[in-house]
Amino acid sequence: MSLASPVPRTDEFRIDLENRLRAVPSTALVRGLFFNMIGDHLRRSGRTRDARAIVGGRRRIYSLYPVSELLVAFAEAGSLVSPSDPRAGIREIWSGGSRYFADSWLGKAFQRFMRPDPAGALDWLERAHEHFCNYGRWRLERVQPGHVVLHMFDEYIWIENAHQGGCEGLLVACGVRGHVDAVVDSSFAGRLEVRWQMPN
């Protein structure tokens, strides 16, 4: 994937892509399912040609690919989904990703943790982190029922756009109402404050 694309580079996507790409180690790898998540979202919105241009064909979901390549793909797709604010586009893709993920073989194993309490799902994600990528660390802090904090360290994918959106989609998939606040301490470290109310 190259930055030379027909996608407009609005203020460097307003997500500091160039600096992020320079800082991410070449050894950082992620699973192919994240590329397929982008393609799936674009195809659902009628952008099949764009999906092919940005992510190519479908990736093997469990194979490892450079995270730098994924960052470019998400930046380009985000700028198509929301041209005025690519950050919102990235967040939307990740929020809808739970539907894609639930249909994958890994998602089918994950579904038993999905309801009714999102804390179980987030706990599973923390423990399964190394199955999704080969870098970084997550730590789940249970504050009280209906409130957890997911701490992220050496996380190269945007915490305040991508992971916040993914966590928002997780709450929807769990069938609860809540909200997610992202706190960024540095480019690659921060936390998600996740709060929800269990249905009566």
Side-chain angles (χ1 to χ4, degrees):
M1 205 54 52
S2 167
L3 287 177
S5 75
V7 178
R9 294 173 60 180
T10 309
D11 190 23
E12 200 53 55
F13 304 117
R14 284 192 267 163
I15 49 177
D16 200 26
L17 181 61
E18 292 283 7
N19 288 332
R20 187 170 290 262
L21 289 174
R22 278 195 289 269
V24 168
S26 60
T27 55
L29 305 171
V30 293
R31 300 294 177 192
L33 68 91
F34 295 104
F35 291 88
N36 293 343
M37 184 172 75
I38 297 170
D40 186 64
H41 186 93
L42 292 175
R43 281 188 292 273
R44 283 199 311 266
S45 60
R47 294 179 173 274
T48 300
R49 184 176 297 175
D50 292 325
R52 269 197 307 271
I54 291 173
V55 298
R58 294 190 72 79
R59 309 287 179 108
R60 294 184 178 185
I61 63 172
Y62 206 64
S63 293
L64 287 165
Y65 300 89
V67 72
S68 57
E69 189 177 326
L70 183 69
L71 291 171
V72 172
F74 266 114
E76 293 179 345
S79 69
L80 286 174
V81 171
S82 178
S84 63
D85 187 356
R87 296 168 297 183
I90 292 170
R91 189 170 171 181
E92 181 182 327
I93 294 168
W94 277 76
S95 180
S98 52
R99 283 176 293 179
Y100 166 77
F101 180 70
D103 290 336
S104 72
W105 67 268
L106 194 56
K108 293 187 190 327
F110 177 67
Q111 285 180 19
R112 63 191 174 109
F113 299 99
M114 296 280 284
R115 292 175 181 261
D117 188 351
L122 289 164
D123 182 64
W124 184 86
L125 285 170
E126 175 204 29
R127 288 183 284 112
H129 180 262
E130 65 185 25
H131 295 293
F132 297 105
C133 58
N134 71 345
Y135 61 84
R137 181 172 61 89
W138 291 1
R139 179 176 63 82
L140 187 69
E141 174 190 359
R142 293 176 182 253
V143 180
Q144 61 186 30
H147 180 195
V148 301
V149 181
L150 184 59
H151 300 270
M152 298 180 166
F153 309 93
D154 295 321
E155 177 52 66
Y156 301 128
I157 298 172
W158 300 275
I159 295 170
E160 69 279 24
N161 304 313
H163 288 295
Q164 182 176 5
C167 203
E168 289 165 342
L170 176 64
L171 293 182
V172 172
C174 288
V176 300
R177 296 180 63 182
H179 65 277
V180 182
D181 295 311
V183 180
V184 178
D185 299 317
S186 65
S187 295
F188 303 138
R191 59 195 180 276
L192 298 176
E193 294 268 358
V194 188
R195 294 177 175 86
W196 67 90
Q197 290 184 329
M198 296 295 292
N200 294 328

Short mmCIF file of all heavy atoms in Angstrom, two decimals, residues 9 13 41-42 45 68 90 168 183 191:
data_model
loop_
_atom_site.label_atom_id
_atom_site.label_comp_id
_atom_site.label_asym_id
_atom_site.label_seq_id
_atom_site.Cartn_x
_atom_site.Cartn_y
_atom_site.Cartn_z
N ARG A 9 -5.37 14.01 0.61
CA ARG A 9 -4.62 14.00 1.86
C ARG A 9 -4.92 15.28 2.62
O ARG A 9 -4.11 16.19 2.69
CB ARG A 9 -3.13 13.83 1.58
CG ARG A 9 -2.81 12.47 0.97
CD ARG A 9 -1.38 12.38 0.54
NE ARG A 9 -0.48 12.57 1.66
CZ ARG A 9 0.85 12.54 1.55
NH1 ARG A 9 1.39 12.33 0.38
NH2 ARG A 9 1.62 12.74 2.58
N PHE A 13 -4.52 13.87 6.70
CA PHE A 13 -5.63 13.12 7.27
C PHE A 13 -5.98 13.58 8.69
O PHE A 13 -6.82 13.01 9.34
CB PHE A 13 -5.34 11.61 7.32
CG PHE A 13 -4.97 11.00 6.01
CD1 PHE A 13 -3.73 10.44 5.83
CD2 PHE A 13 -5.86 10.99 4.96
CE1 PHE A 13 -3.38 9.86 4.62
CE2 PHE A 13 -5.54 10.40 3.75
CZ PHE A 13 -4.29 9.85 3.58
N HIS A 41 -16.43 -3.01 5.32
CA HIS A 41 -17.16 -1.76 5.57
C HIS A 41 -17.37 -0.99 4.27
O HIS A 41 -18.46 -0.49 4.00
CB HIS A 41 -16.40 -0.90 6.57
CG HIS A 41 -17.14 0.32 6.99
ND1 HIS A 41 -17.95 0.35 8.10
CD2 HIS A 41 -17.23 1.56 6.42
CE1 HIS A 41 -18.50 1.56 8.21
NE2 HIS A 41 -18.07 2.30 7.21
N LEU A 42 -16.33 -0.89 3.46
CA LEU A 42 -16.45 -0.14 2.20
C LEU A 42 -17.41 -0.83 1.24
O LEU A 42 -18.22 -0.17 0.58
CB LEU A 42 -15.07 0.02 1.56
CG LEU A 42 -14.09 0.93 2.31
CD1 LEU A 42 -12.72 0.90 1.64
CD2 LEU A 42 -14.61 2.36 2.39
N SER A 45 -21.01 -0.18 2.03
CA SER A 45 -21.47 1.17 1.66
C SER A 45 -21.37 1.40 0.15
O SER A 45 -21.42 2.54 -0.31
CB SER A 45 -20.65 2.22 2.41
OG SER A 45 -19.27 2.12 2.11
N SER A 68 2.10 -0.83 9.66
CA SER A 68 2.21 0.41 8.90
C SER A 68 1.31 0.38 7.67
O SER A 68 0.70 1.38 7.30
CB SER A 68 3.67 0.66 8.50
OG SER A 68 4.17 -0.44 7.75
N ILE A 90 -12.53 6.67 10.49
CA ILE A 90 -11.83 5.54 11.11
C ILE A 90 -12.66 4.99 12.27
O ILE A 90 -12.83 3.78 12.43
CB ILE A 90 -10.43 5.97 11.59
CG1 ILE A 90 -9.54 6.28 10.39
CG2 ILE A 90 -9.80 4.89 12.46
CD1 ILE A 90 -8.22 6.94 10.75
N GLU A 168 -16.94 1.17 21.27
CA GLU A 168 -18.34 1.60 21.16
C GLU A 168 -19.16 0.54 20.43
O GLU A 168 -20.31 0.24 20.83
CB GLU A 168 -18.41 2.94 20.42
CG GLU A 168 -17.88 4.10 21.25
CD GLU A 168 -17.61 5.36 20.45
OE1 GLU A 168 -17.50 5.27 19.20
OE2 GLU A 168 -17.50 6.43 21.07
N VAL A 183 -8.57 8.63 26.50
CA VAL A 183 -7.57 9.51 27.10
C VAL A 183 -6.22 9.12 26.51
O VAL A 183 -5.79 7.97 26.66
CB VAL A 183 -7.54 9.40 28.64
CG1 VAL A 183 -6.49 10.33 29.22
CG2 VAL A 183 -8.91 9.69 29.23
N ARG A 191 -5.72 5.25 27.35
CA ARG A 191 -6.69 4.36 27.96
C ARG A 191 -8.09 4.70 27.47
O ARG A 191 -8.37 5.81 27.03
CB ARG A 191 -6.63 4.44 29.48
CG ARG A 191 -6.87 5.82 30.04
CD ARG A 191 -6.43 5.90 31.51
NE ARG A 191 -6.65 7.22 32.07
CZ ARG A 191 -5.81 8.25 31.94
NH1 ARG A 191 -4.68 8.09 31.25
NH2 ARG A 191 -6.07 9.41 32.49
#
